Amino acid sequence: MDMQARHILTASERSRLLPFVVASGEISPRDQRDLMERPFFSLSKKKRTTPILYAAGDTRVEVFGMPEHGMATIWDADVLIWAASQIVEAENLGLTTSRFLRFTPYQLLTGIGRQTGARDYGLLRAALARLQSTVVATTIRNGQNWRRQQFSWITEWEICASRNGRAAGVEIVIPEWLYRGVIDRSLVLAIDPAYFRLTGGIERWLYRVARKHAGRQRTGWAFEIGHLHQKSGSLMRPSDFAIQIRRAAACQPLPGYRLSIERAGVRELLRILPTDLSTHPVDNYVDGIGTSHASTIGTSHAGLSGLHTHKPQLSLWPETAIPALNLSNLDSNSYVDGKRRSADNASCPSIAPFKGPGDGP
């Protein structure tokens, strides 16, 4: 991909968008379905600039990290999960939302289970920098015609520091692709707040895949481990990745799910079963045969409300208050009830002290 072809904003998007001011307290976290099963983030806290290039049928995902900051990580994705959760909650209350969000660092950090010390504010700045500098190109939700959309996870961001140096307010703009995937309720799932306590990159990604595909279905879902490796985007060798999956099955780290290793001839499978079984579909139906295709998104316009909106030009702080802010394939196989199916799914955990050459905390 030609990095020079990246879209450069000539004027602030915040000058053209009504801000959505986050005012809610503790809410149920929600995740966006498309982000839960495909390799959009680095699973390592080490700086990664090696691109993720994933293809399955007509689905393409390409992710590029810039040398200065590296690719956005699955821990950075907590910012997007929190933002999506706030938007969904507000829409459920009939409030007007926007791609332009205003909130305090305290709201975000406590909402994703983080501490609120100076170090945590510094980590937030670094996460926002990676989310903005990471370039994503994908064909997901583009219909039958192969058409690629390109964006960054955060289009703009700004942090205001108070007189004592602590971060006092945050403004971010998320891309249209993500926003449309959040306001369409069929593309959003509730997740367990314990997700934020998972420490390993692979186990975090595995939980999101489990929630997306196994849901609370009695038969759960099963995946070939080789397929999971492909879908994870991990830089581990397949053999090391398989070790991590086996350790996950031994340690059982996922809230609400039980993992087991199965054999189907020469194939090694990971089966994911919910601990809270259900006889009916949940959350707009979890596809049990492994197709994993979300419905095409529509316009999904929300009703208007004056609450949570202000004048487009309004800023939480003067521009001069914040110097130098930009810190820092083919379908694989899935098994349901022992039957081999075509699928576009994946997952994986990283719990043990073992670290591959490109992954680990």
Side-chain angles (χ1 to χ4, degrees), residues 239-256:
S239 58
D240 293 335
F241 182 87
I243 291 173
Q244 294 299 290
I245 295 295
R246 296 183 199 114
R247 286 177 172 168
C251 297
Q252 301 296 338
L254 304 189

Side-chain angles (χ1 to χ4, degrees), residues 203-267:
E203 69 188 71
R204 277 175 157 248
W205 187 69
L206 181 58
Y207 172 82
R208 298 173 84 182
V209 174
R211 180 65 188 91
K212 166 66 172 64
H213 291 293
R216 298 186 187 94
Q217 299 178 105
R218 185 168 297 277
T219 56
W221 204 285
F223 305 86
E224 282 192 37
I225 291 180
H227 177 48
L228 296 183
H229 180 259
Q230 177 193 18
K231 286 294 299 289
S232 71
S234 171
L235 292 176
M236 281 186 179
R237 296 176 301 180
S239 58
D240 293 335
F241 182 87
I243 291 173
Q244 294 299 290
I245 295 295
R246 296 183 199 114
R247 286 177 172 168
C251 297
Q252 301 296 338
L254 304 189
Y257 294 94
R258 180 165 53 85
L259 309 176
S260 62
I261 301 296
E262 299 179 357
R263 300 281 178 178
V266 296
R267 296 182 177 90

Side-chain angles (χ1 to χ4, degrees), residues 282-360:
V282 292
D283 297 303
N284 302 310
Y285 177 63
V286 178
D287 185 350
I289 61 172
T291 55
S292 308
H293 297 306
S295 57
T296 303
I297 188 168
T299 54
S300 302
H301 296 302
L304 296 179
S305 165
L307 302 176
H308 286 228
T309 61
H310 300 276
K311 294 180 182 179
Q313 302 290 344
L314 183 65
S315 177
L316 290 175
W317 49 79
E319 294 289 332
T320 55
I322 314 172
L325 275 179
N326 281 329
L327 314 172
S328 62
N329 124 65
L330 293 177
D331 284 356
S332 242
N333 299 324
S334 180
Y335 289 77
V336 179
D337 293 331
K339 297 181 180 179
R340 184 173 181 268
R341 309 279 186 166
S342 174
D344 178 23
N345 317 319
S347 60
C348 69
S350 139
I351 348 224
F354 173 87
K355 296 179 185 177
D359 296 281

Side-chain angles (χ1 to χ4, degrees), residues 21-305:
V21 181
V22 175
S24 61
E26 184 177 343
I27 62 173
S28 172
R30 281 90 161 190
D31 208 345
Q32 207 283 325
R33 283 177 176 261
D34 296 321
L35 305 187
M36 296 173 77
E37 62 168 322
R38 297 181 177 95
F40 279 104
F41 302 97
S42 170
L43 304 185
S44 172
K45 289 182 180 178
K46 297 176 183 177
K47 181 188 289 187
R48 173 173 175 169
T49 56
T50 303
I52 294 174
L53 304 174
Y54 170 77
D58 293 333
T59 298
R60 301 286 191 277
V61 174
E62 301 173 357
V63 186
F64 301 86
M66 300 299 102
E68 182 181 1
H69 301 291
M71 184 183 296
T73 72
I74 199 164
W75 293 270
D76 300 336
D78 289 357
V79 175
L80 305 180
I81 293 175
W82 182 85
S85 305
Q86 295 295 333
I87 291 171
V88 171
E89 183 72 12
E91 295 257 338
N92 287 343
L93 295 173
L95 303 178
T96 299
T97 61
S98 167
R99 296 192 295 116
F100 174 14
L101 287 80
R102 281 183 175 159
F103 51 90
T104 66
Y106 181 86
Q107 286 175 301
L108 169 59
L109 291 172
T110 56
I112 59 177
R114 307 282 178 90
Q115 299 297 313
T116 56
R119 177 178 179 273
D120 302 282
Y121 287 108
L123 292 174
L124 174 58
R125 288 187 177 92
L128 294 174
R130 283 189 295 271
L131 288 165
Q132 183 184 38
S133 64
T134 297
V135 178
V136 180
T138 183
T139 60
I140 295 173
R141 282 189 265 127
N142 285 341
Q144 295 181 345
N145 297 324
W146 198 99
R147 184 170 61 86
R148 186 173 77 167
Q149 293 191 50
Q150 184 168 304
F151 52 86
S152 294
W153 291 121
I154 289 179
T155 305
E156 298 181 33
W157 66 276
E158 186 174 10
I159 293 183
C160 174
S162 61
R163 291 183 180 179
N164 63 6
R166 289 179 66 87
V170 183
E171 291 184 347
I172 66 172
V173 179
I174 63 174
E176 181 70 18
W177 184 89
L178 178 59
Y179 181 67
R180 287 168 64 86
V182 169
I183 61 175
D184 185 332
R185 287 167 177 78
S186 69
L187 297 179
V188 178
L189 287 175
I191 62 173
D192 194 317
Y195 166 79
F196 296 118
R197 296 197 293 270
L198 294 174
T199 58
I202 297 180
E203 69 188 71
R204 277 175 157 248
W205 187 69
L206 181 58
Y207 172 82
R208 298 173 84 182
V209 174
R211 180 65 188 91
K212 166 66 172 64
H213 291 293
R216 298 186 187 94
Q217 299 178 105
R218 185 168 297 277
T219 56
W221 204 285
F223 305 86
E224 282 192 37
I225 291 180
H227 177 48
L228 296 183
H229 180 259
Q230 177 193 18
K231 286 294 299 289
S232 71
S234 171
L235 292 176
M236 281 186 179
R237 296 176 301 180
S239 58
D240 293 335
F241 182 87
I243 291 173
Q244 294 299 290
I245 295 295
R246 296 183 199 114
R247 286 177 172 168
C251 297
Q252 301 296 338
L254 304 189
Y257 294 94
R258 180 165 53 85
L259 309 176
S260 62
I261 301 296
E262 299 179 357
R263 300 281 178 178
V266 296
R267 296 182 177 90
E268 186 175 23
L269 312 175
L270 176 70
R271 180 167 291 279
I272 304 172
L273 287 169
T275 54
D276 179 18
L277 296 176
S278 173
T279 54
H280 358 274
V282 292
D283 297 303
N284 302 310
Y285 177 63
V286 178
D287 185 350
I289 61 172
T291 55
S292 308
H293 297 306
S295 57
T296 303
I297 188 168
T299 54
S300 302
H301 296 302
L304 296 179
S305 165

